[in-house]
Amino acid sequence: MTKSDTIAKSTLGAFMFIILMLALNTWAQSNVQPGVTSKSFTGWVLSKPEWSPGDEANYEKYVAYVGEGVAKGLCNTVTNCFRNPKVNPYASSDPGGLKLYSDCADFPYFVRGYYAWRFQLPFGFITEVAAIQSPEGSRDIRYSPYGNVVTKRYDVIPKKVGNSVKYPDALEILNRIIQGKITSANFRVSYSGMDDDGMYSDFYPARVNREGIRPGTVIYDPNGHVVTVYKVTKDG
């Protein structure tokens, strides 16, 4: 094994960390009501500039609630889970044009974006990355040997047009932008030094303990697989 092989393997190993997208174990539908309840209005309204600790805690409960529905066999795809009011408590007021689809890489963005839209919370994400140069090169950015750097982000920001406000279209974001721009390459980004120019990573490493791993935590495998945690059992 050459020195460069050793470096590459060590670098790939460094990416095999558990990363947290933020997210308790139960969800009472009556406790938290979304700001968006209309089937006809699909604008993304922002009611505050940042998520509060309470917002994060409620998001964790929501992820856990959806996950429990899957575990009980109430649904088995993103579409039929999110259309089922017993799994997704907001399903009955979703607009008809919402596709409710994602693959494993899209899902952490989709579920957090869906929740953020419903509760009029800020949301942003990576839309483009570039591979860190390596002697081996890389044909597929999802498997770049030394990882990626962020080159472009998308932020949900309403704009003032004349005397009115134009809100980003939630359906456009959830149906098209997330589906078209997100790949597992987004998870292959080093968090180190990424805050310097605003092109920061969407994730950060989490300690492997009960405080660090919570509903909403994302596990990334450098082979390209992504899993969202909904529950940590008593035996770990």
Side-chain angles (χ1 to χ4, degrees):
M1 181 180 292
T2 66
K3 183 177 180 181
S4 62
D5 288 334
T6 302
I7 293 173
K9 288 182 179 295
S10 298
T11 305
L12 279 176
F15 282 107
M16 200 169 184
F17 49 61
I18 295 179
I19 46 185
L20 185 64
M21 198 172 197
L22 302 170
L24 278 155
N25 286 329
T26 59
W27 176 261
Q29 296 183 33
S30 60
N31 286 350
V32 184
Q33 296 300 320
V36 176
T37 57
S38 171
K39 285 189 174 184
S40 59
F41 180 70
T42 62
W44 197 308
V45 178
L46 298 182
S47 62
K48 57 177 70 175
E50 61 185 15
W51 290 51
S52 69
D55 294 324
E56 297 290 0
N58 285 325
Y59 175 69
E60 291 179 20
K61 294 176 184 178
Y62 176 69
V63 172
Y65 187 84
V66 172
E68 288 292 349
V70 178
K72 291 175 182 177
L74 299 178
C75 59
N76 58 7
T77 68
V78 173
T79 301
N80 61 36
C81 284
F82 277 79
R83 293 203 191 285
N84 187 338
K86 293 182 179 179
V87 179
N88 173 24
Y90 314 122
S92 60
S93 57
D94 276 339
L98 189 57
K99 291 182 179 180
L100 299 172
Y101 168 82
S102 78
D103 59 20
C104 68
D106 297 336
F107 187 73
Y109 290 90
F110 171 80
V111 68
R112 189 165 175 90
Y114 176 85
Y115 186 89
W117 164 56
R118 282 302 206 155
F119 285 87
Q120 301 179 340
L121 295 168
F123 186 59
F125 51 93
I126 297 168
T127 54
E128 289 182 11
V129 297
I132 296 172
Q133 294 300 312
S134 67
E136 297 87 350
S138 177
R139 294 182 179 180
D140 191 330
I141 201 167
R142 295 174 299 172
Y143 308 106
S144 49
Y146 292 95
N148 305 316
V149 293
V150 180
T151 57
K152 190 174 182 179
R153 295 187 58 85
Y154 178 90
D155 294 307
V156 177
I157 301 176
K159 296 180 180 179
K160 187 174 182 180
V161 180
N163 294 322
S164 62
V165 176
K166 182 178 180 180
Y167 296 102
D169 186 355
L171 298 193
E172 172 77 359
I173 295 167
L174 296 172
N175 288 351
R176 190 186 69 81
I177 299 177
I178 288 178
Q179 311 304 331
K181 296 293 186 179
I182 302 300
T183 72
S184 59
N186 286 40
F187 300 83
R188 208 176 186 85
V189 173
S190 172
Y191 73 97
S192 178
M194 294 306 296
D195 292 339
D196 295 342
D197 58 0
M199 293 291 107
Y200 45 85
S201 171
D202 289 329
F203 305 93
Y204 60 87
R207 290 185 180 277
V208 184
N209 58 32
R210 292 185 180 277
E211 288 70 39
I213 309 302
R214 295 170 285 165
T217 296
V218 179
I219 300 175
Y220 169 64
D221 178 340
N223 289 318
H225 301 295
V226 182
V227 176
T228 302
V229 174
Y230 81 92
K231 180 180 182 179
V232 178
T233 59
K234 291 182 179 180
D235 61 1

